């Protein structure tokens, strides 16, 4: 549905002519209730990963230089 030669693009007419099927609200609500917790866990794990990466980047040079001994 893209048009153009060298650089493909979608124009307003392409979007206006599209037929879009929407789910009934009860199905969307059920999907939201199932996925809300999963996306929350994903967010928490991303923050934990960032925290652990920062901790690694702080501790590893000190371990390698001998400033910290195990």
């Amino acid at each position: 549905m893209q048009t153009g030669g060298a650089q493909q693009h979608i124009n307003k007419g392409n979007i206006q002519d599209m037929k879009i099927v929407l789910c009934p609200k009860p199905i969307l609500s059920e999907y939201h209730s199932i996925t809300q917790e999963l996306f929350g866990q994903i967010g928490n794990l991303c923050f934990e990963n960032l925290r652990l990466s920062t901790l690694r980047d702080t501790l590893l040079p000190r371990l390698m230089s001998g400033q910290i001994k195990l």
Side-chain angles (χ1 to χ4, degrees), residues 19-23:
K19 294 188 189 304
I20 298 174
V21 178
L22 299 176
C23 291

Side-chain angles (χ1 to χ4, degrees), residues 26-69:
I27 292 174
L28 289 175
S29 294
E30 184 177 351
Y31 172 81
H32 179 70
S33 67
I34 292 170
T35 59
Q36 183 177 10
E37 183 178 340
L38 294 174
F39 284 120
Q41 289 175 351
I42 290 169
N44 289 337
L45 290 172
C46 286
F47 284 122
E48 180 71 10
N49 191 25
L50 182 61
R51 189 180 74 79
L52 290 172
S53 294
T54 303
L55 185 61
R56 177 206 60 213
D57 293 343
T58 302
L59 291 176
L60 188 58
R62 292 181 183 175
L63 286 167
M64 297 300 287
S65 69
Q67 286 179 318
I68 298 176
K69 299 201 189 265

